[in-house]
């Protein structure tokens, strides 16, 4: 097997189940006086919204990284896949795992030993993230002077 792919949390991992578990075990960063803190189902709904949003964003990030690798490197793109990797399951923000080659493939093993190739891969991944941010960023960082009315 050979190629380059981006992996995100598998779709059959229930956002609802993750949300219920998070509502039980995780804190939301909200004001202590807010009524949501006291109502379990609303916390679960908020977590469900966070996970659903993160999944859609992860798909876009994965495609952006693959697109940059495809245009910037001479590499076979295997595409965007889904998997049950624990590191991706609890992500509250866009999250992907990038598989940049297979050590079982002697040609890819040789490439991965080459520092120039590894730098090309790192550049393609970082360009994919930058491209994603330029395309999908919803808001610019807030200028504190403007916010305070200065």
């Amino acid at each position: 097997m050979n190629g380059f792919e981006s992996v995100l949390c598998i779709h059959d991992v229930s956002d609802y189940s993750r949300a219920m578990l998070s509502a039980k075990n995780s804190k939301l960063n909200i004001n202590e006086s807010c009524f949501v803190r006291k109502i379990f189902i609303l916390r679960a709904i908020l977590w469900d919204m966070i996970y659903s949003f993160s999944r859609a964003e992860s798909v876009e990030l994965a495609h952006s990284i693959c697109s940059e690798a495809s245009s910037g490197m001479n590499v076979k793109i295997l595409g965007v896949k889904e998997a049950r990797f624990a590191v991706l399951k609890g992500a509250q923000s866009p999250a992907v795992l990038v598989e940049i080659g297979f050590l079982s493939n002697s040609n890819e093993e040789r490439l991965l030993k080459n520092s120039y190739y590894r730098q090309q891969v790192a550049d393609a991944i970082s360009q994919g993230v930058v491209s994603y941010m330029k395309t999908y960023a919803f808001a610019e960082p807030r200028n504190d002077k403007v916010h305070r009315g200065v």
Side-chain angles (χ1 to χ4, degrees):
M1 183 162 207
N2 68 321
F4 184 103
E5 64 188 4
S6 294
V7 182
L8 55 116
C9 191
I10 194 162
H11 187 68
D12 70 355
V13 173
S14 167
D15 287 333
Y16 175 78
S17 297
R18 291 191 309 161
M20 295 301 280
L21 186 62
S22 293
K24 289 177 188 173
N25 300 319
S26 301
K27 292 187 87 174
L28 284 169
N29 189 19
I30 55 178
N31 187 328
E32 290 290 319
S33 65
C34 182
F35 71 92
V36 175
R37 181 179 160 264
K38 299 173 184 163
I39 302 173
F40 175 79
I41 195 65
L42 289 178
R43 287 197 327 236
I45 290 168
L46 286 173
W47 278 113
D48 185 46
M49 291 170 64
I50 290 167
Y51 287 134
S52 296
F53 178 77
S54 294
R55 183 187 309 278
E57 292 287 297
S58 295
V59 169
E60 297 301 331
L61 176 59
H63 282 293
S64 182
I65 291 171
C66 283
S67 176
E68 289 296 328
S70 175
S71 66
M73 301 174 59
N74 185 21
V75 64
K76 177 182 177 183
I77 302 296
L78 299 175
V80 174
K81 310 248 172 112
E82 296 179 335
R84 292 182 179 271
F85 293 129
V87 70
L88 297 172
K89 287 184 183 176
Q92 299 171 26
S93 61
V96 298
L97 181 133
V98 180
E99 293 186 340
I100 60 171
F102 296 88
L103 295 177
S104 59
N105 180 299
S106 59
N107 186 46
E108 287 194 352
E109 179 184 12
R110 182 184 49 75
L111 286 171
L112 291 168
K113 289 179 179 178
N114 182 300
S115 62
Y116 178 75
Y117 178 77
R118 290 192 311 269
Q119 186 61 53
Q120 282 185 301
V121 169
D123 290 343
I125 294 169
S126 66
Q127 277 304 116
V129 172
V130 168
S131 177
Y132 162 82
M133 291 300 296
K134 287 180 180 177
T135 304
Y136 297 100
F138 294 116
E140 293 295 320
R142 184 171 65 190
N143 182 335
D144 284 335
K145 289 182 180 180
V146 173
H147 181 66
R148 289 183 295 197
V150 175

